[in-house]
Amino acid sequence: MIRDNHGRPINYLRLAVTDRCNLRCFYCMPEEGISFLPKPHLLTFEEMVRMVTLMAEMGITKVRITGGEPFVRKDMMAFLRSLKNITGIEQVNITTNGVLTAPLVPELKELGISSVNLSLDTLDRERFKEMTRRDELPNVLKTLDALLESGIKTKINAVVMAGKNDQDILPLVNLSKELPVSVRFIEEMPFNGSGINKEAFMSHTRIIEKIRDAHPSLKKLKDEAHSTSSNYSIDDYQGNVGVIAAFTRTFCGSCNRIRVTPTGTLKTCLYDDGVMNIRDILRMESNNEIVKGKLLIAFSNRPKDGFEAEALRSAEVSESMTTIGG
């Protein structure tokens, strides 16, 4: 097992396979979108498979595929199949916005995908259109239905902002009454291209207070090791609810994950600005042991928490979340 310089195990890779997305969520990117990268700048699937294979040899056991939106990249299913065949990788999970995903769910089930996180900030069609700048809620709900029917473990991720969708907290919580889903509410992060909107900030404590006011039976559950969410149950509800203190950063002390962006930038913390470019190393270095040695150096110089990582940045946090696969 890999351990960083603070003694934390590293066994979880979040791999962003594309910076492209078919939604334009206002908290993620500007309305006009971002300047998407030319294909040669991106890691190829072959390079990703080589990288994950080397990391698996070092102790990575879990991979989460993110974007952008993963399924806008061609040949994703073949790539997922390759990941599942890598020795040492025990779980392959996916985060998706659900727009294109419903028809793919049977194959995801057949592949043995462990879980899917579905991004869904509101159940109101007009508000969804306003927040994402696209009228795609029906397709997202089809994906939710397909996932539940398939039996794939499903979590719903909702970014919460005061004055935008805080009125959606309780309707989303109520999904877990009859459905075996985990509904997780996420603090807004400053990765929207323009920094954090402090007036619209809903902290994890405010979110829980709102849920508890409506559901006095809300009880804290024991969280899994390295969980980023604090999880709760409600009496007689099939599913559960959780909050992720992404901006407050309460979970840094047990963080077991690293991130690789579509261009191959390794981030040992969500809040750093990248510690090295794996793409360039893979393209220049054929000796796998040398590549692993460079990775170990990076893992051995990890910031203590997100605040330290942010303080060490060369520039203020301003990149779009779609480019880093948070």
Side-chain angles (χ1 to χ4, degrees):
M1 180 181 293
I2 315 165
R3 290 192 178 271
D4 69 12
N5 44 312
H6 303 286
R8 296 171 296 198
I10 300 175
N11 61 359
Y12 179 9
L13 167 66
R14 295 181 64 101
L15 175 57
V17 296
T18 181
D19 61 337
R20 297 175 185 271
C21 189
N22 44 10
L23 298 180
R24 292 292 182 271
C25 301
F26 73 87
Y27 57 81
C28 185
M29 68 170 80
E31 184 171 3
E32 65 275 12
I34 62 172
S35 297
F36 294 118
L37 296 161
K39 189 174 180 179
H41 291 213
L42 303 177
L43 282 166
T44 66
F45 284 147
E46 292 77 12
E47 288 166 342
M48 291 181 194
V49 169
R50 180 186 173 199
M51 177 189 70
V52 175
T53 300
L54 297 180
M55 289 184 175
E57 292 172 1
M58 299 170 68
I60 295 292
T61 61
K62 178 179 178 181
V63 179
R64 176 168 295 281
I65 300 302
T66 68
E69 166 51 37
F71 293 110
V72 301
R73 184 159 179 175
K74 293 181 180 179
D75 300 320
M76 265 303 301
M77 301 307 290
F79 171 63
L80 291 173
R81 194 172 296 277
S82 296
L83 285 186
K84 286 292 295 180
N85 289 331
I86 294 175
T87 301
I89 297 301
E90 299 171 1
Q91 291 186 37
V92 175
N93 306 316
I94 299 170
T95 295
T96 176
N97 62 30
V99 172
L100 302 172
T101 317
L104 305 173
V105 170
E107 190 173 354
L108 295 176
K109 176 69 173 180
E110 183 269 327
L111 276 174
I113 297 301
S114 299
S115 70
V116 172
N117 287 2
L118 182 64
S119 300
L120 179 59
D121 299 325
T122 177
L123 295 172
D124 181 272
R125 186 167 181 173
E126 284 304 311
R127 197 149 45 246
F128 183 97
K129 185 176 179 180
E130 178 183 345
M131 294 183 70
T132 67
R133 306 184 179 107
R134 300 291 187 271
D135 185 18
E136 294 284 3
L137 180 61
N139 284 327
V140 178
L141 295 179
K142 286 179 184 176
T143 293
L144 177 59
D145 289 341
L147 288 168
L148 293 172
E149 184 177 349
S150 75
I152 295 176
K153 184 178 180 181
T154 303
K155 298 177 182 178
I156 293 171
N157 286 347
V159 178
V160 181
M161 292 147 288
K164 295 292 185 180
N165 70 332
D166 52 327
Q167 67 268 55
D168 293 291
I169 292 175
L170 296 181
L172 285 166
V173 166
N174 287 337
L175 283 178
S176 67
K177 181 176 178 62
E178 304 295 339
L179 303 175
V181 296
S182 176
V183 181
R184 289 116 55 89
F185 299 98
I186 306 173
E187 290 179 343
E188 183 187 8
M189 292 173 280
F191 299 111
N192 60 357
S194 60
I196 194 75
N197 182 349
K198 295 181 180 179
E199 293 182 1
F201 181 66
M202 285 285 291
S203 70
H204 63 289
T205 53
R206 287 181 64 190
I207 294 169
I208 284 300
E209 286 170 3
K210 187 176 182 69
I211 298 172
R212 181 170 281 118
D213 285 345
H215 300 283
S217 68
L218 188 74
K219 295 183 182 68
K220 183 72 181 66
L221 296 171
K222 183 178 180 180
D223 299 322
E224 296 179 0
H226 312 295
S227 175
T228 57
S229 60
S230 295
N231 301 295
Y232 298 79
S233 66
I234 299 173
D235 285 354
D236 300 321
Y237 274 46
Q238 285 194 45
N240 58 67
V241 298
V243 288
I244 299 176
F247 183 73
T248 309
R249 290 166 253 191
T250 59
F251 48 77
C252 293
S254 62
C255 182
N256 66 332
R257 65 205 62 203
I258 56 173
R259 291 169 170 81
V260 175
T261 73
T263 58
T265 298
L266 172 67
K267 295 171 70 72
T268 60
C269 174
L270 176 61
Y271 282 86
D272 70 34
D273 53 3
V275 297
M276 71 181 200
N277 192 286
I278 299 175
R279 178 200 64 201
D280 295 345
I281 294 171
L282 291 172
R283 291 178 184 179
M284 291 186 298
E285 184 56 68
S286 60
N287 187 319
N288 288 337
E289 295 307 313
I290 291 177
V291 177
K292 288 195 283 187
K294 292 180 181 294
L295 289 170
L296 280 175
I297 291 172
F299 300 155
S300 299
N301 290 277
R302 209 168 170 222
K304 179 181 179 182
D305 54 34
F307 298 103
E308 181 179 306
E310 188 173 1
L312 292 171
R313 289 177 64 102
S314 58
E316 187 177 350
V317 175
S318 63
E319 62 261 52
S320 167
M321 181 62 77
T322 194
T323 66
I324 62 176

